[in-house]
Amino acid sequence: MYQEKEDYQSWICDKCQKELELSKVKVRYLEGEFEVELLNCPTCHQVFVNESLALGKMLEVEQGLEDK
Amino acid sequence: MNLDKLLETGDRCIFLEPPTCTANCPVHLEIIEFISEIEKGDFQKAYKLMEKKLPFHKIIGRICDHPCESVCVRNEAGGAISISELEKSVLEYGAAKPKKVWPVPKKKGKIAVVGSGLSGLTAAVDLDKKGYEIVLYEKTDRLGGRLWNHIGDSLKEKTLSEELKQVEDKGISIQFNRLIDENSLSDLLSEYDAVYLGASDWTAPLEIDKITFQVGELNLFAGGAMVTQNDSVIFSASSGRRAALSIERFLSKVSLTDSRDREGIFETPLKQDVSETDVLPKVEKQASVYSQEEAIQEAKRCIKCQCRKCMDGCNHLRKYDISPYAYIRQINHSERIILGTHYANKMINSCTECGLCQEECFLDISMKDVIQETRESMVERNKMPVSAHDFALKDMAFSNSSRFSLVRKQPSKEASKDLFYYPLISFSDYVKGLYHGTGKTEYLFYPGCQLPASYPDDIKGIYEYLVGHMKGDVGIYLGCCGAPADWAGRQDLMGENVAAIKKVWEEMERPTFILACSSCIRVFEKYLPEIKVRSLWDIYLEKGLPNKNWIKSPQTLSVHDACGTRENSELQESIRKIAESLGYTIEEMKYSKEKTKCCGYGGLVYYANREQADGFVAERIQESPHDILVYCTMCKDLFVSGGKRTYHLLDLIYPKDNEDGAVKKMPTLSERHQNRSLVKRSLLKEIWREDVDEPVPDDYQLVIPETVRQNMEDRYILLEDVQAVIKNAQEIRKRFYNPDSGDYLASLKIEHVTFWVQYAQEDDKFLIKSVYSHRMEIVEE
Ligand code: SF4
Ligand code: SF4
Ligand code: SF4
Ligand SMILES: [Zn+2]
């Protein structure tokens, strides 16, 4: 999973007023747990997921794990 | 799950059984494949199929007495397919040079073949190919025996000679002018490992086994006219081939009799139904052989017989292009593996469990039962993907929570004077005014969860009607019967739900339930057989309709029966009679009543595989040119959203002013919740005069454009989810901000799902830009 630059470039963390950065984040679904590079706030670490990621790659992985 | 029983069910399915033509072809030419190639114009491929199955195909193809044709089911629809003529045309247009075969070293044993008629030649060539050393004894000075009698228009002398010469070319040694009699035969038996006897004029009696063609216990095997007892060329060739197989088994010391029940001709269990097949006359040839075009036309007449009854009716089986035979094998495979791929999950959750397949199958094979059992097993083994049924199960929990669930007895006579009494003058059959109450709850009106969600305004009217017409008190019980849990294979939840319903029933001293929803009827029959039920529609028919004077313009309708009522013919009749008494004409669809189809909602397919549900909808709505009449709210919902004018029976019984019931868009998922709560509150207020808490007002005022609303429907996102996300974001400021657009983006995980909302704030209004969700959990540290 990855995010396109133009998808996120203008978003910032509202709480910390920081620009987002890519870093490794742990994600979990069913019996699968893995690390992916996702945008998040360098301070509070809240993770950014936009629509195309949620309904694209993420859904694909979810469905893959479900149907296995 | 009993997998052996499962496989047994699958193996009963005759999807793979051959057509009668192939079963009656003694060498089992794959006639459907053969004809299909011709139909495509690929005479070369058709030729290869002949080459593969027919011994001496260039000879037999021209003189075969074609027992396949007399049994061809096309006989009853224009005349049998001219299979033998097609074979001749393939020899004409598709012939290829025989493949060069490398001689196999002859080390396996030595076999004598007596007689070089078609059976002997077939046995000799088959065994030669297998690596035996063959010596052929022929009493005359040429090969072929009685084949020479067939020289004529079809089989030319030149062709026969060429074919026979090939036997010699193979290096089979031939002893011409050697008559074998009883004496010389016993010499052969000791000299050779096995002897094949194909002399048509053999007179000495022999004890020949009917299956193996072995003579007694000897190393002697017979074939040809001696065993076929007729002049048939193809039976003769077949007998030679079967004897050759016996010889091979005999010499390899394996069982001669194992799995030979389908040699020669046999009876296929496939009974093709041609009652609805168009009659098409045979294509007559204009010359001695079909032209290519004539052959193609004749090939098109072939029905390609196969049992597909269930698949013809079921969009699901066709979408996955799978027969119950293969489906069950697939399930068996998925069930047996502990780890590894479970790739059939989505398919298993795409069956509506409608039961049509069983209705169509003359062997009574029920995928509905198989799928139900499989889902239950998947749940038990923890292999059921949560996402498939999560939303429906949450919806069920909602309906059984205090936000909808309600049980009340009928108000007493005193308490309800002005409710159920008024003067007897009425334009309708709806005669109020008599109090039938007895103080004992004889009936409990159980409208289910979907009817109140879709028709909130009619529930009170229906209840009043029932109170006014039934003898004895009528109570009310709001809740969900548990159909979603049943479909999801959640026997745990189902058990709890059934127990809860039973408890109410006991507490109310076992009243008769009045049901309005076909899913409820199905669930009560399956899980609560001890509870007596009546359908609301049967009651309308018996007691008369409330608003007879309301009839709008009469028209012709097609009834779509709910799949849950498949076996309930009484109910199906009531529906039709009600519609007719309202002045409508009914025109039945091909698949109706016990053969009805599912709208696509059944089995929770609507949630597990929307594309599959859409497939069911699209197929069903084009099956009638008329408006459709349904009596299940989910059927109505799906058909209307598919663009078909559809009435629910309630639209006819309680028509609304200035409203075309047939196009009424059904409420959104969020509105369905709200409507249920509204029904509960208004019943409590207006009938039981109870104080009710007004619903907690929404925290935020949302402005949602139509496209976003539609996305919420498609993504199963409720307004309350959106409210919760915004509340969380506003309170703790955990959100993203886009300085260019001024939008916020916030998320919140609720149970298994993380919801995201992009919004802009304008004063106290929240403009929703987009809403989406995912199930993958992000572990924030
Ligand atoms: S109707 Fe369907 S399940 Fe029944 S035998 Fe035919 S293919 Fe198999
Ligand atoms: S219609 Fe075709 S498949 Fe059916 S029996 Fe005749 S030749 Fe065979
Ligand atoms: S959807 Fe209905 S007809 Fe199709 S396999 Fe399932 S139960 Fe059978
Ligand atoms: Zn931050």
Side-chain angles (χ1 to χ4, degrees):
Chain A
M1 282 185 283
Y2 64 94
Q3 282 159 308
E4 302 279 349
K5 183 97 175 117
E6 56 271 32
D7 288 342
Y8 61 82
Q9 50 193 1
S10 26
W11 291 96
I12 57 167
C13 176
D14 190 44
K15 199 186 210 163
C16 318
Q17 294 291 312
K18 287 267 175 63
E19 274 188 28
L20 307 182
E21 284 171 13
L22 271 176
S23 72
K24 285 232 185 292
V25 171
K26 222 190 269 167
V27 296
R28 181 155 58 204
Y29 192 58
L30 302 179
E31 288 130 58
E33 188 173 299
F34 34 97
E35 283 202 335
V36 284
E37 288 240 300
L38 289 178
L39 283 168
N40 57 64
C41 168
T43 308
C44 73
H45 296 296
Q46 69 160 321
V47 177
F48 177 91
V49 176
N50 63 9
E51 182 164 340
S52 64
L53 177 66
L55 303 183
K57 200 71 203 165
M58 251 176 157
L59 183 66
E60 201 178 292
V61 175
E62 285 169 15
Q63 287 175 342
L65 285 167
E66 284 183 345
D67 239 9
K68 281 196 285 193
Chain B
M1 188 168 191
N2 184 338
L3 292 178
D4 294 334
K5 213 182 105 213
L6 175 81
L7 278 178
E8 225 173 82
T9 306
D11 287 345
R12 279 198 295 125
C13 167
I14 61 162
F15 179 75
L16 291 179
E17 291 291 351
T20 45
C21 54
T22 294
N24 282 275
C25 166
V27 292
H28 308 152
L29 176 65
E30 290 140 329
I31 295 175
I32 294 184
E33 290 79 356
F34 173 72
I35 293 184
S36 301
E37 294 303 346
I38 298 174
E39 194 173 335
K40 282 188 259 170
D42 196 336
F43 289 81
Q44 286 71 27
K45 278 223 183 93
Y47 180 85
K48 290 222 174 75
L49 289 165
M50 275 178 82
E51 200 175 27
K52 176 171 144 205
K53 282 291 168 73
L54 264 48
F56 297 94
H57 57 283
K58 285 188 181 166
I59 300 173
I60 290 187
R62 293 190 163 92
I63 59 172
C64 180
D65 40 294
H66 49 77
C68 55
E69 286 186 26
S70 60
V71 295
C72 168
V73 303
R74 249 291 173 214
N75 261 314
E76 282 152 52
I81 306 297
S82 309
I83 301 168
S84 69
E85 285 300 332
L86 289 173
E87 288 177 1
K88 286 178 203 166
S89 70
V90 166
L91 291 178
E92 194 70 28
Y93 310 119
K97 279 221 176 70
K99 264 187 275 148
K100 236 194 150 33
V101 274
W102 296 99
V104 197
K106 309 288 185 239
K107 284 195 273 191
K108 282 164 109 184
K110 228 175 139 182
I111 298 164
V113 171
V114 180
S116 74
L118 188 51
S119 86
L121 289 173
T122 302
V125 169
D126 278 7
L127 289 165
D128 172 74
K129 218 187 282 169
K130 290 275 161 62
Y132 296 94
E133 187 185 335
I134 311 294
V135 180
L136 189 51
Y137 292 86
E138 168 53 45
K139 67 182 177 197
T140 68
D141 58 2
R142 66 175 184 187
L143 294 178
R146 291 177 307 148
L147 279 176
W148 290 95
N149 301 344
H150 290 274
I151 297 299
D153 284 350
S154 271
L155 181 61
K156 300 281 182 322
E157 192 171 333
K158 183 169 163 274
T159 313
L160 182 55
S161 307
E162 277 170 12
E163 290 302 296
L164 294 175
K165 188 170 167 293
Q166 283 191 16
V167 179
E168 295 176 41
D169 293 350
K170 281 186 198 300
I172 291 176
S173 80
I174 304 167
Q175 310 265 320
F176 286 111
N177 301 311
R178 285 285 301 274
L179 180 73
I180 302 296
D181 59 13
E182 272 180 84
N183 285 331
S184 41
L185 179 63
S186 56
D187 292 343
L188 292 185
L189 289 176
S190 43
E191 192 184 328
Y192 290 89
D193 295 309
V195 177
Y196 172 80
L197 183 59
S200 55
D201 50 1
W202 192 266
T203 48
L206 292 174
E207 187 202 316
I208 305 167
D209 186 281
K210 286 198 171 53
I211 293 161
T212 64
F213 302 162
Q214 186 180 17
V215 178
E217 306 267 293
L218 299 174
N219 56 342
L220 175 63
F221 297 80
M226 241 185 302
V227 301
T228 64
Q229 307 286 339
N230 61 28
D231 289 334
S232 162
V233 194
I234 189 65
F235 278 98
S236 178
S238 159
S239 71
R241 174 156 287 175
R242 291 165 71 183
L245 179 65
S246 293
I247 292 173
E248 201 198 346
R249 289 191 181 191
F250 178 79
L251 296 181
S252 338
K253 300 195 166 50
V254 294
S255 163
L256 261 62
T257 49
D258 267 4
S259 53
R260 302 196 71 167
D261 48 337
R262 287 202 159 185
E263 283 184 10
I265 61 169
F266 61 93
E267 199 177 328
T268 174
L270 173 61
K271 305 270 173 289
Q272 189 76 21
D273 175 13
V274 289
S275 55
E276 287 176 31
T277 306
D278 290 339
V279 172
L280 294 175
K282 245 185 212 304
V283 175
E284 299 297 343
K285 54 182 183 185
Q286 301 303 316
S288 61
V289 183
Y290 271 143
S291 68
Q292 294 205 15
E293 193 43 43
E294 283 166 346
I296 291 171
Q297 289 311 318
E298 179 66 359
K300 286 202 171 123
R301 290 176 65 236
C302 169
I303 296 163
K304 324 283 170 346
C305 300
Q306 186 175 40
C307 186
R308 298 179 60 93
K309 284 280 280 174
C310 54
M311 298 171 78
D312 285 344
C314 173
N315 192 282
H316 168 54
L317 295 175
R318 271 182 285 117
K319 179 176 163 73
Y320 283 84
D321 192 20
I322 196 165
S323 66
Y325 173 83
Y327 206 140
I328 286 175
R329 295 202 150 241
Q330 177 88 259
I331 291 175
N332 173 66
H333 182 76
S334 291
E335 284 282 316
R336 279 187 205 260
I337 44 175
I338 322 266
L339 297 167
T341 50
H342 292 262
Y343 44 83
N345 287 358
K346 184 143 188 187
M347 176 168 76
I348 291 163
N349 286 325
S350 303
C351 163
T352 63
E353 301 198 1
C354 71
L356 177 58
C357 49
Q358 180 179 20
E359 196 61 45
E360 290 290 57
C361 176
F362 73 112
L363 290 166
D364 220 29
I365 293 170
S366 166
M367 286 313 290
K368 168 185 168 178
D369 296 339
V370 168
I371 296 291
Q372 179 65 29
E373 222 185 298
T374 306
R375 289 190 192 168
E376 285 169 20
S377 158
M378 283 164 71
V379 169
E380 263 167 44
R381 297 183 308 126
N382 229 342
K383 292 290 173 210
M384 179 61 89
V386 201
S387 70
H389 307 129
D390 197 21
F391 187 86
L393 293 173
K394 278 195 259 178
D395 198 49
M396 171 177 158
F398 173 94
S399 293
N400 286 331
S401 76
S402 61
R403 290 164 78 179
F404 177 56
S405 179
L406 173 75
V407 185
R408 284 292 181 278
K409 293 187 170 183
Q410 180 177 321
S412 70
K413 187 171 183 175
E414 267 315 294
S416 60
K417 250 188 203 134
D418 51 336
L419 255 182
F420 305 119
Y421 302 82
Y422 43 78
L424 267 158
I425 11 158
S426 166
F427 298 107
S428 69
D429 289 351
Y430 182 9
V431 184
K432 289 185 183 177
L434 300 172
Y435 180 75
H436 302 296
T438 54
K440 179 175 184 296
T441 305
E442 300 286 352
Y443 297 95
L444 206 46
F445 176 39
Y446 190 84
C449 61
Q450 302 295 18
L451 197 71
S454 298
Y455 289 87
D457 304 338
D458 292 326
I459 303 299
K460 179 166 169 269
I462 299 171
Y463 180 64
E464 286 169 346
Y465 169 88
L466 290 172
V467 168
H469 285 81
M470 304 307 285
K471 263 206 145 41
D473 279 14
V474 184
I476 197 156
Y477 182 3
L478 302 181
C480 170
C481 69
D486 183 41
W487 276 329
R490 291 290 301 270
Q491 285 298 301
D492 52 335
L493 287 178
M494 199 63 217
E496 288 169 23
N497 214 57
V498 164
I501 295 175
K502 227 157 135 176
K503 189 157 164 270
V504 172
W505 178 61
E506 296 282 4
E507 281 168 5
M508 289 282 181
E509 296 176 59
R510 308 181 165 217
T512 297
F513 274 56
I514 297 176
L515 305 178
C517 165
S518 37
S519 294
C520 294
I521 296 179
R522 187 182 64 81
V523 164
F524 273 69
E525 255 167 29
K526 181 171 170 186
Y527 290 98
L528 293 156
E530 60 274 49
I531 298 185
K532 240 184 102 191
V533 304
R534 290 209 59 188
S535 117
L536 174 65
W537 319 114
D538 289 340
I539 292 173
Y540 276 128
L541 190 68
E542 186 193 310
K543 309 280 186 193
L545 297 174
N547 292 308
K548 219 174 166 183
N549 53 333
W550 266 100
I551 307 165
K552 289 188 174 176
S553 50
Q555 61 174 114
T556 301
L557 302 174
S558 290
V559 179
H560 161 81
D561 295 289
C563 57
T565 70
R566 189 177 301 289
E567 280 151 35
N568 200 332
S569 54
E570 191 193 336
L571 172 59
Q572 293 162 0
E573 284 317 313
S574 298
I575 303 299
R576 285 158 176 79
K577 284 187 189 145
I578 290 173
E580 277 160 7
S581 77
L582 283 167
Y584 295 90
T585 311
I586 302 297
E587 195 176 291
E588 298 294 349
M589 291 192 272
K590 178 177 170 204
Y591 288 97
S592 80
K593 300 185 181 174
E594 77 279 6
K595 290 202 193 302
T596 191
K597 289 186 176 177
C598 176
C599 64
Y601 185 80
L604 301 180
V605 173
Y606 182 72
Y607 303 101
N609 186 348
R610 187 66 79 83
E611 204 186 305
Q612 173 71 83
D614 290 345
F616 275 97
V617 175
E619 177 171 314
R620 188 57 164 168
I621 59 181
Q622 52 81 35
E623 288 178 2
S624 170
H626 307 294
D627 291 1
I628 295 185
L629 173 61
V630 301
Y631 44 101
C632 167
T633 47
M634 298 325 290
C635 300
K636 161 137 186 174
D637 208 351
L638 264 63
F639 291 165
V640 170
S641 55
K644 181 74 176 171
R645 290 178 53 85
T646 308
Y647 292 101
H648 188 282
L649 195 52
L650 280 184
D651 295 322
L652 306 187
I653 297 178
Y654 296 100
K656 310 279 180 301
D657 281 331
N658 317 318
E659 190 185 277
D660 183 354
V663 293
K664 190 168 79 184
K665 230 179 132 9
M666 300 302 256
T668 63
L669 297 166
S670 300
E671 285 161 353
R672 302 186 84 81
H673 278 189
Q674 287 159 10
N675 286 347
R676 286 182 200 138
S677 292
L678 176 78
V679 165
K680 172 177 177 170
R681 280 202 315 277
S682 58
L683 284 175
L684 281 178
K685 242 194 317 210
E686 291 159 30
I687 297 206
W688 282 272
R689 314 277 159 84
E690 290 181 26
D691 295 332
V692 283
D693 298 334
E694 279 313 305
V696 196
D698 288 337
D699 293 303
Y700 302 98
Q701 201 185 331
L702 308 184
V703 180
I704 308 179
E706 190 43 42
T707 50
V708 176
R709 214 172 270 277
Q710 189 54 51
N711 280 341
M712 287 172 62
E713 284 302 285
D714 294 343
R715 297 168 187 175
Y716 309 109
I717 298 172
L718 298 173
L719 282 171
E720 61 187 55
D721 300 327
V722 177
Q723 289 278 358
V725 174
I726 294 183
K727 186 171 167 58
N728 185 64
Q730 293 297 104
E731 283 173 0
I732 64 172
R733 269 189 82 189
K734 184 175 174 239
R735 59 187 182 186
F736 298 96
Y737 180 63
N738 189 326
D740 299 344
S741 61
D743 286 355
Y744 294 106
L745 180 66
S747 69
L748 182 65
K749 181 166 176 287
I750 304 175
E751 287 179 49
H752 300 292
V753 185
T754 304
F755 296 95
W756 288 83
V757 179
Q758 186 179 332
Y759 62 96
Q761 195 177 349
E762 270 170 43
D763 308 323
D764 55 349
K765 289 198 182 64
F766 289 77
L767 176 63
I768 309 300
K769 303 278 186 79
S770 78
V771 179
Y772 52 93
S773 70
H774 57 79
R775 296 183 159 268
M776 190 170 286
E777 187 187 345
I778 291 167
V779 193
E780 283 179 18
E781 272 139 13

